[in-house]
Protein backbone atom coordinates (compact mmCIF):
# COMPACT_ATOMS: atom_id res chain seq x y z
CA UNK A 1 0.00 0.00 0.00
CA UNK A 2 1.29 3.45 -0.89
CA UNK A 3 1.06 6.29 1.59
CA UNK A 4 -1.31 8.21 -0.66
CA UNK A 5 -3.37 5.83 -2.84
CA UNK A 6 -4.88 8.78 -4.71
CA UNK A 7 -1.59 9.10 -6.55
CA UNK A 8 -2.25 5.73 -8.18
CA UNK A 9 -5.32 7.01 -10.00
CA UNK A 10 -4.73 6.84 -13.76
CA UNK A 11 -4.68 9.98 -15.86
CA UNK A 12 -7.51 10.56 -18.32
CA UNK A 13 -4.89 10.24 -21.07
CA UNK A 14 -4.06 6.71 -19.92
CA UNK A 15 -7.73 5.73 -20.19
CA UNK A 16 -7.97 7.39 -23.62
CA UNK A 17 -4.98 5.37 -24.83
CA UNK A 18 -6.40 2.07 -23.56
CA UNK A 19 -7.61 -0.58 -26.08
CA UNK A 20 -11.13 -0.42 -24.60
CA UNK A 21 -11.44 3.34 -25.10
CA UNK A 22 -10.10 3.05 -28.64
CA UNK A 23 -12.50 0.23 -29.46
CA UNK A 24 -15.54 2.27 -28.37
CA UNK A 25 -14.13 5.14 -30.42
CA UNK A 26 -13.21 3.37 -33.67
CA UNK A 27 -15.41 0.26 -33.85
CA UNK A 28 -18.63 1.70 -32.40
CA UNK A 29 -18.10 5.31 -33.46
CA UNK A 30 -18.93 6.95 -30.15
CA UNK A 31 -17.95 10.61 -29.98
CA UNK A 32 -14.64 11.04 -28.15
CA UNK A 33 -16.04 13.98 -26.14
CA UNK A 34 -18.57 11.77 -24.41
CA UNK A 35 -16.17 8.90 -23.83
CA UNK A 36 -13.76 11.34 -22.21
CA UNK A 37 -16.49 12.76 -20.00
CA UNK A 38 -17.43 9.23 -18.87
CA UNK A 39 -13.75 8.57 -18.07
CA UNK A 40 -13.60 11.75 -15.96
CA UNK A 41 -16.70 10.73 -14.03
CA UNK A 42 -15.35 7.24 -13.36
CA UNK A 43 -12.04 8.61 -12.08
CA UNK A 44 -13.92 11.07 -9.87
CA UNK A 45 -15.98 8.24 -8.41
CA UNK A 46 -12.81 6.19 -7.85
CA UNK A 47 -11.23 9.11 -6.01
CA UNK A 48 -14.23 9.29 -3.69
CA UNK A 49 -14.16 5.52 -3.08
CA UNK A 50 -10.46 5.58 -2.29
CA UNK A 51 -11.01 8.34 0.26
CA UNK A 52 -13.66 6.15 1.87
CA UNK A 53 -11.35 3.09 1.76
CA UNK A 54 -13.82 1.29 -0.48
CA UNK A 55 -11.19 0.08 -2.95
CA UNK A 56 -7.92 -1.82 -2.79
CA UNK A 57 -5.29 0.70 -3.87
CA UNK A 58 -2.89 -1.69 -5.62
CA UNK A 59 -2.11 0.08 -8.92
CA UNK A 60 -2.76 -2.80 -11.35
CA UNK A 61 -6.05 -3.76 -9.74
CA UNK A 62 -7.12 -0.15 -9.49
CA UNK A 63 -6.75 0.45 -13.22
CA UNK A 64 -8.53 -2.83 -13.99
CA UNK A 65 -11.44 -1.82 -11.75
CA UNK A 66 -11.65 1.60 -13.33
CA UNK A 67 -11.73 0.17 -16.86
CA UNK A 68 -14.40 -2.34 -15.83
CA UNK A 69 -16.50 0.51 -14.52
CA UNK A 70 -15.81 2.55 -17.64
CA UNK A 71 -16.92 -0.27 -19.95
CA UNK A 72 -19.99 -1.06 -17.85
CA UNK A 73 -21.01 2.61 -17.89
CA UNK A 74 -20.69 2.90 -21.67
CA UNK A 75 -22.61 -0.33 -22.23
CA UNK A 76 -25.36 0.77 -19.87
CA UNK A 77 -25.76 4.08 -21.68
CA UNK A 78 -26.06 2.28 -25.02
CA UNK A 79 -28.50 -0.39 -23.85
CA UNK A 80 -32.25 -0.02 -24.45
CA UNK A 81 -33.79 2.23 -21.75
CA UNK A 82 -35.73 -0.60 -20.15
CA UNK A 83 -35.06 -4.31 -20.02
CA UNK A 84 -37.73 -6.74 -21.14
CA UNK A 85 -39.14 -8.73 -18.22
CA UNK A 86 -41.22 -11.90 -18.17
CA UNK A 87 -43.78 -11.45 -15.41
CA UNK A 88 -44.17 -14.71 -13.51
CA UNK A 89 -45.55 -13.06 -10.37
CA UNK A 90 -49.20 -13.66 -11.21
CA UNK A 91 -49.93 -9.94 -10.68
CA UNK A 92 -51.56 -8.84 -13.92
CA UNK A 93 -51.21 -5.08 -13.42
CA UNK A 94 -47.80 -5.05 -11.75
CA UNK A 95 -46.91 -1.40 -11.13
CA UNK A 96 -43.17 -2.08 -10.87
CA UNK A 97 -43.21 -4.00 -14.14
CA UNK A 98 -45.08 -1.40 -16.20
CA UNK A 99 -48.72 -2.27 -15.49
CA UNK A 100 -50.89 -2.94 -18.54
CA UNK A 101 -49.41 -4.93 -21.41
CA UNK A 102 -50.53 -3.28 -24.67
CA UNK A 103 -52.25 -5.25 -27.42
CA UNK A 104 -50.55 -5.91 -30.74
CA UNK A 105 -53.03 -3.53 -32.40
CA UNK A 106 -52.06 -0.75 -29.97
CA UNK A 107 -48.34 -1.40 -30.48
CA UNK A 108 -48.73 -1.22 -34.26
CA UNK A 109 -50.58 2.08 -33.90
CA UNK A 110 -47.76 3.50 -31.75
CA UNK A 111 -45.11 2.34 -34.20
CA UNK A 112 -46.94 3.85 -37.16
CA UNK A 113 -47.39 7.27 -35.58
CA UNK A 114 -43.86 7.32 -34.16
CA UNK A 115 -42.18 6.36 -37.41
CA UNK A 116 -44.10 8.69 -39.70
CA UNK A 117 -45.64 12.12 -39.88
CA UNK A 118 -49.37 12.01 -39.10
CA UNK A 119 -52.52 14.12 -39.08
CA UNK A 120 -52.26 14.56 -35.31
CA UNK A 121 -53.45 18.17 -35.41
CA UNK A 122 -54.22 18.55 -39.10
CA UNK A 123 -57.63 18.27 -40.74
CA UNK A 124 -57.08 16.47 -44.05
CA UNK A 125 -60.52 17.51 -45.26
CA UNK A 126 -60.13 21.28 -44.80
CA UNK A 127 -56.36 21.55 -44.85
CA UNK A 128 -56.49 23.50 -41.59
CA UNK A 129 -55.43 22.81 -38.02
CA UNK A 130 -57.40 20.06 -36.31
CA UNK A 131 -57.77 18.64 -32.79
CA UNK A 132 -55.58 15.83 -31.49
CA UNK A 133 -58.44 14.66 -29.28
CA UNK A 134 -61.16 14.32 -31.93
CA UNK A 135 -60.85 10.58 -32.60
CA UNK A 136 -60.31 9.53 -29.01
CA UNK A 137 -63.22 11.67 -27.78
CA UNK A 138 -65.54 10.20 -30.38
CA UNK A 139 -64.70 6.67 -29.27
CA UNK A 140 -64.89 7.47 -25.56
CA UNK A 141 -68.31 9.08 -25.84
CA UNK A 142 -69.60 6.27 -28.06
CA UNK A 143 -68.44 3.56 -25.66
CA UNK A 144 -69.59 5.24 -22.44
CA UNK A 145 -72.53 7.44 -23.37
CA UNK A 146 -70.79 10.50 -21.92
CA UNK A 147 -71.55 13.89 -23.49
CA UNK A 148 -67.86 14.72 -23.83
CA UNK A 149 -64.40 13.42 -23.02
CA UNK A 150 -60.89 14.71 -22.43
CA UNK A 151 -57.54 12.99 -21.85
CA UNK A 152 -54.51 14.03 -19.78
CA UNK A 153 -51.28 12.25 -18.94
CA UNK A 154 -52.45 10.25 -15.89
CA UNK A 155 -55.33 10.04 -13.45
CA UNK A 156 -53.60 12.10 -10.75
CA UNK A 157 -53.33 14.86 -13.35
CA UNK A 158 -57.01 14.38 -14.15
CA UNK A 159 -57.97 14.85 -10.49
CA UNK A 160 -55.76 17.94 -10.23
CA UNK A 161 -57.19 19.52 -13.40
CA UNK A 162 -60.80 18.85 -12.44
CA UNK A 163 -60.34 20.37 -8.98
CA UNK A 164 -58.27 23.31 -10.25
CA UNK A 165 -60.59 24.20 -13.12
CA UNK A 166 -63.93 23.55 -11.45
CA UNK A 167 -63.48 24.33 -7.75
CA UNK A 168 -60.45 26.62 -7.26
CA UNK A 169 -60.84 28.68 -4.10
CA UNK A 170 -64.10 26.95 -3.21
CA UNK A 171 -65.12 24.02 -1.02
CA UNK A 172 -65.16 20.38 -2.05
CA UNK A 173 -66.92 17.90 0.23
CA UNK A 174 -65.32 14.47 0.68
CA UNK A 175 -66.09 11.58 3.00
CA UNK A 176 -63.29 10.87 5.49
CA UNK A 177 -63.48 7.22 4.47
CA UNK A 178 -62.46 8.18 0.93
CA UNK A 179 -59.39 10.34 1.60
CA UNK A 180 -57.14 7.72 0.08
CA UNK A 181 -53.43 7.60 -0.56
CA UNK A 182 -52.41 6.40 -4.01
CA UNK A 183 -49.02 5.14 -5.22
CA UNK A 184 -45.83 6.91 -4.26
CA UNK A 185 -47.39 8.45 -1.10
CA UNK A 186 -49.55 10.88 -3.10
CA UNK A 187 -52.75 11.68 -1.26
CA UNK A 188 -56.09 12.95 -2.55
CA UNK A 189 -56.11 15.56 0.22
CA UNK A 190 -52.66 16.82 -0.85
CA UNK A 191 -53.64 17.00 -4.51
CA UNK A 192 -56.73 18.93 -3.50
CA UNK A 193 -54.64 21.37 -1.44
CA UNK A 194 -52.26 21.97 -4.36
CA UNK A 195 -55.21 22.59 -6.68
CA UNK A 196 -56.47 25.45 -4.54
CA UNK A 197 -59.72 23.71 -3.62
CA UNK A 198 -60.77 23.77 0.04
CA UNK A 199 -61.25 20.33 1.55
CA UNK A 200 -64.32 19.79 3.69
CA UNK A 201 -64.25 16.39 5.41
CA UNK A 202 -67.53 14.76 6.42
CA UNK A 203 -68.48 11.63 8.31
CA UNK A 204 -66.05 9.25 9.96
CA UNK A 205 -63.55 6.76 8.63
CA UNK A 206 -66.08 3.94 8.54
CA UNK A 207 -69.45 5.71 8.30
CA UNK A 208 -70.73 8.69 6.33
CA UNK A 209 -74.42 9.56 6.11
CA UNK A 210 -76.57 11.71 3.84
CA UNK A 211 -77.03 14.23 6.67
CA UNK A 212 -73.25 14.71 6.89
CA UNK A 213 -73.16 15.98 3.31
CA UNK A 214 -76.23 18.17 3.77
CA UNK A 215 -74.82 19.86 6.89
CA UNK A 216 -71.55 20.62 5.08
CA UNK A 217 -73.11 22.39 2.09
CA UNK A 218 -72.74 26.17 2.22
CA UNK A 219 -72.48 29.20 -0.06
CA UNK A 220 -68.83 28.40 -0.83
CA UNK A 221 -69.43 24.77 -1.79
CA UNK A 222 -68.63 23.94 -5.42
CA UNK A 223 -68.44 20.18 -5.55
CA UNK A 224 -69.08 16.82 -3.94
CA UNK A 225 -66.20 14.47 -4.60
CA UNK A 226 -66.58 10.72 -4.33
CA UNK A 227 -63.35 8.71 -4.40
CA UNK A 228 -63.86 5.11 -5.37
CA UNK A 229 -62.03 2.69 -3.08
CA UNK A 230 -60.29 0.86 -5.89
CA UNK A 231 -57.09 0.09 -3.97
CA UNK A 232 -58.48 -0.91 -0.57
CA UNK A 233 -61.70 -2.19 0.97
CA UNK A 234 -63.60 -1.65 4.22
CA UNK A 235 -65.68 -4.32 5.94
CA UNK A 236 -67.75 -4.57 9.08
CA UNK A 237 -69.51 -1.65 10.72
CA UNK A 238 -69.49 0.63 7.67
CA UNK A 239 -71.86 2.68 5.55
CA UNK A 240 -71.69 5.33 2.87
CA UNK A 241 -74.10 7.29 0.71
CA UNK A 242 -75.09 5.68 -2.61
CA UNK A 243 -73.93 7.34 -5.79
CA UNK A 244 -77.46 8.13 -6.98
CA UNK A 245 -78.29 9.89 -3.70
CA UNK A 246 -75.13 12.02 -3.96
CA UNK A 247 -76.13 12.90 -7.52
CA UNK A 248 -79.56 13.92 -6.25
CA UNK A 249 -78.09 16.09 -3.47
CA UNK A 250 -75.67 17.74 -5.89
CA UNK A 251 -78.42 18.49 -8.39
CA UNK A 252 -80.72 19.99 -5.76
CA UNK A 253 -77.99 22.35 -4.52
CA UNK A 254 -76.44 23.25 -7.87
CA UNK A 255 -73.18 21.45 -7.12
CA UNK A 256 -70.87 19.46 -9.37
CA UNK A 257 -70.76 15.75 -8.54
CA UNK A 258 -67.36 14.33 -9.44
CA UNK A 259 -66.19 10.75 -8.95
CA UNK A 260 -62.56 9.74 -9.11
CA UNK A 261 -62.43 6.05 -9.95
CA UNK A 262 -58.68 5.65 -9.59
CA UNK A 263 -58.77 2.69 -11.96
CA UNK A 264 -61.99 2.52 -13.94
CA UNK A 265 -63.44 -0.40 -15.89
CA UNK A 266 -64.82 -0.34 -19.42
CA UNK A 267 -65.25 -4.12 -19.36
CA UNK A 268 -67.88 -5.69 -17.08
CA UNK A 269 -65.70 -7.89 -14.86
CA UNK A 270 -68.68 -8.52 -12.58
CA UNK A 271 -70.38 -10.39 -15.43
CA UNK A 272 -67.37 -12.73 -15.39
CA UNK A 273 -67.81 -13.16 -11.61
CA UNK A 274 -64.62 -11.19 -10.91
CA UNK A 275 -64.85 -8.50 -8.26
CA UNK A 276 -67.42 -5.77 -7.89
CA UNK A 277 -65.83 -2.99 -9.93
CA UNK A 278 -68.46 -0.63 -11.39
CA UNK A 279 -68.48 -0.08 -15.14
CA UNK A 280 -68.00 3.54 -16.20
CA UNK A 281 -71.11 3.47 -18.39
CA UNK A 282 -73.25 2.57 -15.37
CA UNK A 283 -71.65 5.24 -13.19
CA UNK A 284 -72.53 7.95 -15.69
CA UNK A 285 -76.11 6.67 -15.85
CA UNK A 286 -76.38 7.12 -12.07
CA UNK A 287 -76.01 10.89 -12.40
CA UNK A 288 -72.32 11.63 -11.95
CA UNK A 289 -71.46 14.93 -13.66
CA UNK A 290 -67.84 14.11 -14.28
CA UNK A 291 -65.70 11.01 -13.75
CA UNK A 292 -62.01 10.23 -14.16
CA UNK A 293 -60.11 6.96 -14.56
CA UNK A 294 -56.69 5.53 -15.43
CA UNK A 295 -55.76 4.34 -18.89
CA UNK A 296 -53.16 1.77 -17.83
CA UNK A 297 -55.10 -0.17 -15.21
CA UNK A 298 -58.33 -2.10 -15.79
CA UNK A 299 -58.84 -0.31 -19.10
CA UNK A 300 -55.72 -2.08 -20.38
CA UNK A 301 -54.13 0.75 -22.36
CA UNK A 302 -51.30 3.28 -21.97
CA UNK A 303 -50.82 5.56 -18.99
CA UNK A 304 -53.40 8.33 -19.27
CA UNK A 305 -56.08 10.11 -17.31
CA UNK A 306 -59.49 9.66 -18.93
CA UNK A 307 -62.10 12.31 -18.04
CA UNK A 308 -65.75 11.87 -19.01
CA UNK A 309 -68.93 13.80 -18.31
CA UNK A 310 -71.10 16.78 -19.11
CA UNK A 311 -69.95 18.78 -22.12
CA UNK A 312 -70.10 22.14 -20.35
CA UNK A 313 -67.70 20.89 -17.68
CA UNK A 314 -65.36 19.13 -20.11
CA UNK A 315 -65.19 22.34 -22.18
CA UNK A 316 -64.02 24.23 -19.08
CA UNK A 317 -61.26 21.66 -18.57
CA UNK A 318 -60.27 21.82 -22.22
CA UNK A 319 -59.97 25.61 -22.10
CA UNK A 320 -58.01 25.77 -18.85
CA UNK A 321 -54.34 26.83 -19.13
CA UNK A 322 -53.20 23.63 -17.40
CA UNK A 323 -54.72 21.51 -20.18
CA UNK A 324 -51.70 22.06 -22.42
CA UNK A 325 -49.24 21.31 -19.62
CA UNK A 326 -51.02 18.01 -18.94
CA UNK A 327 -51.74 16.96 -22.51
CA UNK A 328 -50.75 13.57 -23.90
CA UNK A 329 -48.41 12.93 -26.82
CA UNK A 330 -49.17 11.29 -30.16
CA UNK A 331 -47.93 7.84 -29.11
CA UNK A 332 -50.16 7.74 -26.05
CA UNK A 333 -53.15 8.88 -28.10
CA UNK A 334 -52.41 6.25 -30.74
CA UNK A 335 -52.28 3.45 -28.16
CA UNK A 336 -55.35 4.75 -26.35
CA UNK A 337 -57.37 5.04 -29.56
CA UNK A 338 -56.34 1.57 -30.72
CA UNK A 339 -57.33 0.07 -27.35
CA UNK A 340 -60.69 1.83 -27.48
CA UNK A 341 -61.27 0.45 -30.96
CA UNK A 342 -60.97 -3.07 -29.60
CA UNK A 343 -63.73 -2.42 -27.07
CA UNK A 344 -66.08 -2.02 -30.04
CA UNK A 345 -65.93 -5.75 -30.68
CA UNK A 346 -67.98 -6.80 -27.62
CA UNK A 347 -67.35 -10.54 -27.12
CA UNK A 348 -63.87 -10.32 -28.62
CA UNK A 349 -62.69 -7.74 -26.08
CA UNK A 350 -61.50 -10.39 -23.61
CA UNK A 351 -59.24 -11.87 -26.28
CA UNK A 352 -58.05 -8.64 -27.88
CA UNK A 353 -56.94 -6.69 -24.79
CA UNK A 354 -54.19 -8.48 -22.81
CA UNK A 355 -55.22 -7.05 -19.42
CA UNK A 356 -58.82 -8.18 -19.79
CA UNK A 357 -57.67 -11.54 -21.20
CA UNK A 358 -55.28 -12.22 -18.33
CA UNK A 359 -57.74 -11.20 -15.61
CA UNK A 360 -60.66 -13.20 -16.99
CA UNK A 361 -58.79 -16.35 -18.08
CA UNK A 362 -60.19 -19.48 -16.40
CA UNK A 363 -57.70 -21.48 -14.33
CA UNK A 364 -58.29 -24.61 -16.43
CA UNK A 365 -57.10 -22.76 -19.54
CA UNK A 366 -53.84 -21.83 -17.77
CA UNK A 367 -53.04 -25.31 -16.45
CA UNK A 368 -51.82 -26.76 -19.79
CA UNK A 369 -49.35 -23.89 -20.10
CA UNK A 370 -48.01 -24.62 -16.60
CA UNK A 371 -47.71 -28.32 -17.35
CA UNK A 372 -45.84 -27.62 -20.58
CA UNK A 373 -43.44 -25.26 -18.79
CA UNK A 374 -42.83 -27.80 -16.01
CA UNK A 375 -42.09 -30.57 -18.51
CA UNK A 376 -39.59 -28.46 -20.43
CA UNK A 377 -37.87 -27.13 -17.31
CA UNK A 378 -37.45 -30.62 -15.88
CA UNK A 379 -35.25 -31.37 -18.87
CA UNK A 380 -32.78 -28.72 -17.64
CA UNK A 381 -29.99 -30.12 -15.43
CA UNK A 382 -30.29 -29.36 -11.73
CA UNK A 383 -33.97 -28.37 -11.74
CA UNK A 384 -36.87 -30.02 -9.93
CA UNK A 385 -40.11 -28.55 -11.25
CA UNK A 386 -43.76 -29.39 -10.71
CA UNK A 387 -47.05 -27.75 -11.76
CA UNK A 388 -48.89 -26.14 -8.84
CA UNK A 389 -52.19 -24.40 -8.23
CA UNK A 390 -51.58 -20.76 -7.36
CA UNK A 391 -53.47 -17.60 -6.51
CA UNK A 392 -52.94 -14.62 -8.81
CA UNK A 393 -53.90 -10.98 -8.27
CA UNK A 394 -55.26 -8.17 -10.43
CA UNK A 395 -52.75 -5.63 -9.05
CA UNK A 396 -52.23 -1.98 -9.95
CA UNK A 397 -54.17 -0.87 -6.87
CA UNK A 398 -57.38 -2.43 -8.18
CA UNK A 399 -59.80 -5.07 -6.86
CA UNK A 400 -57.86 -5.56 -3.59
CA UNK A 401 -60.07 -8.41 -2.38
CA UNK A 402 -60.08 -10.39 -5.62
CA UNK A 403 -58.08 -13.61 -5.82
CA UNK A 404 -57.71 -15.30 -9.19
CA UNK A 405 -57.35 -19.09 -9.21
CA UNK A 406 -54.38 -19.92 -11.38
CA UNK A 407 -51.67 -22.43 -12.26
CA UNK A 408 -47.93 -22.09 -12.33
CA UNK A 409 -44.76 -24.03 -11.59
CA UNK A 410 -42.72 -24.47 -8.40
CA UNK A 411 -39.02 -24.52 -9.22
CA UNK A 412 -36.32 -26.03 -7.05
CA UNK A 413 -32.60 -26.13 -7.82
CA UNK A 414 -30.04 -28.72 -6.73
CA UNK A 415 -27.49 -26.13 -5.63
CA UNK A 416 -29.26 -22.76 -5.43
CA UNK A 417 -31.80 -21.54 -2.88
CA UNK A 418 -35.02 -19.95 -4.14
CA UNK A 419 -33.61 -16.53 -3.34
CA UNK A 420 -30.36 -17.22 -5.22
CA UNK A 421 -32.28 -18.62 -8.17
CA UNK A 422 -34.54 -15.57 -8.30
CA UNK A 423 -31.50 -13.29 -8.21
CA UNK A 424 -29.86 -15.15 -11.13
CA UNK A 425 -33.05 -15.00 -13.20
CA UNK A 426 -33.25 -11.22 -12.76
CA UNK A 427 -29.99 -11.01 -14.69
CA UNK A 428 -31.03 -13.12 -17.69
CA UNK A 429 -32.19 -11.56 -20.94
CA UNK A 430 -35.12 -11.20 -20.81
CA UNK A 431 -35.26 -11.14 -17.02
CA UNK A 432 -37.67 -13.60 -15.38
CA UNK A 433 -39.47 -12.40 -12.24
CA UNK A 434 -41.39 -14.74 -9.96
CA UNK A 435 -42.32 -14.92 -6.29
CA UNK A 436 -40.95 -17.03 -3.45
CA UNK A 437 -43.29 -19.21 -1.40
CA UNK A 438 -42.23 -21.87 1.11
CA UNK A 439 -38.62 -21.91 -0.10
CA UNK A 440 -39.66 -22.47 -3.73
CA UNK A 441 -39.63 -20.12 -6.68
CA UNK A 442 -43.14 -19.84 -8.09
CA UNK A 443 -43.75 -18.76 -11.67
CA UNK A 444 -47.45 -18.05 -12.22
CA UNK A 445 -48.51 -18.81 -15.78
CA UNK A 446 -51.47 -16.43 -15.69
CA UNK A 447 -48.99 -13.67 -16.53
CA UNK A 448 -46.69 -15.77 -18.73
CA UNK A 449 -47.97 -16.07 -22.29
CA UNK A 450 -47.66 -19.20 -24.43
CA UNK A 451 -45.06 -17.38 -26.52
CA UNK A 452 -42.98 -16.63 -23.42
CA UNK A 453 -42.73 -20.24 -22.24
CA UNK A 454 -39.75 -20.92 -24.52
CA UNK A 455 -38.04 -17.76 -23.33
CA UNK A 456 -38.41 -18.87 -19.70
CA UNK A 457 -36.84 -22.23 -20.55
CA UNK A 458 -33.96 -20.51 -22.34
CA UNK A 459 -33.40 -18.28 -19.30
CA UNK A 460 -33.02 -21.35 -17.07
CA UNK A 461 -30.78 -23.06 -19.59
CA UNK A 462 -28.47 -20.05 -19.54
CA UNK A 463 -27.95 -20.61 -15.79
CA UNK A 464 -26.47 -24.07 -16.28
Amino acid sequence: MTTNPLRLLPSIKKIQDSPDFQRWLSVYGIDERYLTEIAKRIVSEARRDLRENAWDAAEDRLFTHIMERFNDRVRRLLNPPYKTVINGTGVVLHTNLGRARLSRHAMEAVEAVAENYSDLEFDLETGERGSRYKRVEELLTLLTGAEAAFVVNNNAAAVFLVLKALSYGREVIVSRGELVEIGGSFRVSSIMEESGAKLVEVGTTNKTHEADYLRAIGPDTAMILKVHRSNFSMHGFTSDVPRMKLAEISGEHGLIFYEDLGSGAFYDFKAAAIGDEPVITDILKEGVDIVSASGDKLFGGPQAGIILGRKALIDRLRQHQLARALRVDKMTLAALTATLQQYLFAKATADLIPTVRDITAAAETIRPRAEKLAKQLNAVDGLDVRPVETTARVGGGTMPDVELSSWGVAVGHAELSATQLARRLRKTDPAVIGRIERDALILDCRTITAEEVELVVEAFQSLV
Side-chain angles (χ1 to χ4, degrees), residues 15-16 18 20-24 34-40 42 63-77:
I15 296 176
Q16 289 174 323
S18 69
D20 289 341
F21 189 100
Q22 293 302 315
R23 186 182 73 253
W24 290 118
Y34 304 125
L35 288 173
T36 300
E37 178 59 28
I38 293 170
K40 289 178 180 178
I42 296 297
F63 185 68
T64 299
H65 287 326
I66 286 175
M67 291 311 301
E68 286 174 353
R69 282 195 177 187
F70 174 80
N71 288 323
D72 286 345
R73 187 70 53 84
V74 177
R75 276 192 291 267
R76 192 176 75 212
L77 291 172

Side-chain angles (χ1 to χ4, degrees), residues 22 31 71 105 109 165 214 227 241 258 342 351 364 382 437 445:
Q22 293 302 315
D31 194 306
N71 288 323
H105 181 52
L214 291 172
V227 182
V241 182
Y258 166 41
Q342 296 185 301
D351 297 322
E364 56 267 25
E437 292 180 2
C445 287

Side-chain angles (χ1 to χ4, degrees), residues 162-175:
V162 169
L163 293 172
K164 186 80 170 178
L166 304 181
S167 60
Y168 180 79
R170 301 188 64 194
E171 295 175 350
V172 176
I173 301 172
V174 189
S175 167

